[in-house]
Amino acid sequence: MLRLEDYKAVFATLGLIGVLLFASPTLGFVLRLPSGEKFSELWVLGPEHMAEDYPFNVGADVSYLVYVGVGNHMGSSAYYVVYVKFRSQSEPLPNATAGTPSPLEPLYEYRIFLEDGKSWEAPLNFSFSDVFFFERWSRVRTVRINDIAFGVNKLALWDVNNTGYYYQLFIELWIYNVGFELQFHNRFVDIWLNMTG
Amino acid sequence: MKGLCARFVKAPVLFLLFSMVFSLSLTRLPFYVSARDEASSAIGDADNALRHAFEAILEAERAGANVSGLIARLNEAGLFLAEAEIELRGGNSSGAVSEAHTCFVMTESIIEEASSIKASALAERRESLWQTMLFSLTGSTSFIVLLLIVWILLKVRYFEKLSKMKPEVASDVEA
């Protein structure tokens, strides 16, 4: 037969477990468990919504289609701005190490509000016009993005190593931070384009 | 003589013509500058309004409200602001002003609704907290009382059992 002291210990333990069980719904209101890592996604997909068949050899007056997407895993709703920019090889890209955006002016933009855990995707149609080739240079005067024309006037030198006139369409992700200032979110994706005429 | 007179007439006429053309171009320039300024200002106002609307929605979300509907409406307003920025970059100031104004108007109703659902969510949360605390308190107290009753009964039974037990005499006790 167990001693009375042993029964005391059992009852004390049962009492503590019971109190914790009944108190747990209230503790759920008060305690905040640590959340996982916060991050955002940015992607660009080809015309079939796959990571393939990206436009590469491009010409004037032909329309190309890609899809831009953003995913929110920041733990709360977020306000994103997606900037579409266009550069020639000699112009700067964003600096991922320093976390700074490209100083080039954006051409097109999307403004997106996303709840936590949700994602957004939109088509990006682009084409080029007023494309000239002279000596070892190519010049693009106009880029159309989603049926809106932008005057760009970009020059590209013939790339001897990669044999082509190379440009880049790149997309930067910006976010409104806790102070509600727009800042570069250190995410960008790009598509290399070889201007063939 | 005739040539001299012609020269004296030609110069002032030319000067007058030049002054007229120059002043005409000057009068058009401020108009262009002010249209662009007006568009920038409208876009700035719309941008501020959109940010305030988002802040209001975030606060409602933190209070536990369901903000999916408001987020969808905010995205529509954001479309207009993006269009306004693009129009301004393309040089269409009047288009930019129109789009920015539409964005601004949409955000006003969003801010009002966000404040309203935040207040409702806070009230619901407070009510829910009180009910949960009451349940926890009642449940814990009842459980402790039950355990005490069981403990007392157990103790009574234990001593009853103990008193019924006969002492045993050891066989190897020295005389």
Side-chain angles (χ1 to χ4, degrees):
Chain A
M1 192 170 86
L2 286 175
R3 296 179 306 164
L4 206 58
E5 283 73 26
D6 298 329
Y7 281 115
K8 222 190 252 183
V10 168
F11 271 77
T13 310
L14 276 172
L16 191 64
I17 292 169
V19 165
L20 279 173
L21 275 171
F22 279 104
S24 58
T26 307
L27 289 174
F29 270 95
V30 175
L31 295 175
R32 287 273 174 268
L33 294 171
S35 55
E37 186 190 352
K38 295 178 183 178
F39 65 96
S40 304
E41 299 175 81
L42 174 69
W43 67 83
V44 63
L45 298 175
E48 303 301 321
H49 282 281
M50 307 277 272
E52 58 188 24
D53 293 331
Y54 293 106
F56 177 65
N57 294 316
V58 295
D61 304 318
V62 178
S63 186
Y64 303 95
L65 171 65
V66 292
Y67 288 91
V68 182
V70 174
N72 178 11
H73 303 278
M74 297 296 287
S76 63
S77 295
Y79 178 7
Y80 297 104
V81 180
V82 174
Y83 286 126
V84 182
K85 298 183 178 180
F86 183 65
R87 70 181 272 265
S88 61
Q89 265 185 294
S90 58
E91 291 175 308
L93 270 173
N95 186 331
T97 315
T100 52
S102 165
L104 296 174
E105 281 297 310
L107 300 179
Y108 196 84
E109 66 179 64
Y110 301 89
R111 286 185 181 251
I112 312 140
F113 298 88
L114 268 183
E115 288 179 83
D116 181 45
K118 298 271 171 73
S119 62
W120 161 92
E121 207 172 79
L124 175 61
N125 279 291
F126 62 94
S127 63
F128 306 98
S129 54
D130 301 326
V131 177
F132 307 100
F133 297 90
F134 52 97
E135 294 178 4
R136 293 182 310 130
W137 293 91
S138 118
R139 179 195 291 256
V140 174
R141 278 232 163 96
T142 310
V143 175
R144 287 190 86 85
I145 297 175
N146 290 344
D147 292 327
I148 297 171
F150 300 94
V152 291
N153 204 23
K154 301 283 183 185
L155 278 171
L157 182 62
W158 173 259
D159 187 330
V160 178
N161 296 326
N162 298 301
T163 58
Y165 297 101
Y166 287 97
Y167 298 87
Q168 239 178 339
L169 194 71
F170 65 101
I171 296 146
E172 292 178 347
L173 183 64
W174 292 57
I175 189 171
Y176 273 90
N177 59 22
V178 287
F180 291 98
E181 286 166 358
L182 188 59
Q183 69 177 53
F184 179 54
H185 201 27
N186 206 17
R187 297 273 187 284
F188 72 96
V189 288
D190 57 80
I191 313 167
W192 277 106
L193 302 166
N194 173 24
M195 192 62 65
T196 58
Chain B
M1 186 68 181
K2 247 190 194 173
L4 203 64
C5 287
R7 224 185 297 163
F8 272 118
V9 170
K10 215 178 181 178
V13 167
L14 278 173
F15 178 74
L16 197 64
L17 268 169
F18 176 74
S19 311
M20 276 170 65
V21 168
F22 184 68
S23 55
L24 258 174
S25 65
L26 279 182
T27 53
R28 289 191 77 78
L29 187 59
F31 178 76
Y32 171 74
V33 167
S34 78
R36 195 173 172 80
D37 284 347
E38 190 193 343
S40 295
S41 170
I43 286 173
D45 291 342
D47 188 29
N48 280 332
L50 204 62
R51 264 189 291 142
H52 285 134
F54 180 60
E55 276 177 52
I57 287 176
L58 262 190
E59 282 179 23
E61 188 181 55
R62 279 186 209 123
N66 182 351
V67 297
S68 300
L70 288 178
I71 291 279
R73 283 168 58 189
L74 205 58
N75 272 309
E76 286 172 25
L79 269 173
F80 284 104
L81 180 59
E83 291 287 319
E85 295 270 17
I86 291 162
E87 297 274 8
L88 186 64
R89 277 183 213 124
N92 181 3
S93 299
S94 59
V97 168
S98 167
E99 304 276 7
H101 181 69
T102 307
C103 171
F104 186 86
V105 166
M106 286 175 81
T107 53
E108 282 184 325
S109 61
I110 292 171
I111 291 170
E112 254 181 63
E113 203 170 320
S115 304
S116 164
I117 67 168
K118 177 191 169 185
S120 308
L122 282 173
E124 264 178 48
R125 194 181 165 87
R126 225 174 292 131
E127 183 69 33
S128 181
L129 179 63
W130 279 117
Q131 282 176 3
T132 309
M133 275 171 65
L134 194 65
F135 164 76
S136 294
L137 199 64
T138 314
S140 306
T141 312
S142 310
F143 186 71
I144 296 292
V145 165
L146 188 67
L147 270 182
L148 272 170
I149 292 167
V150 170
W151 169 250
I152 290 165
L153 286 172
L154 186 75
K155 224 171 153 180
V156 164
R157 267 206 163 170
Y158 179 85
F159 282 118
E160 268 177 18
K161 218 174 181 177
L162 207 63
S163 62
K164 280 180 189 163
M165 280 165 79
K166 288 178 187 165
E168 283 178 6
V169 178
S171 57
D172 57 4
V173 173
E174 285 180 9

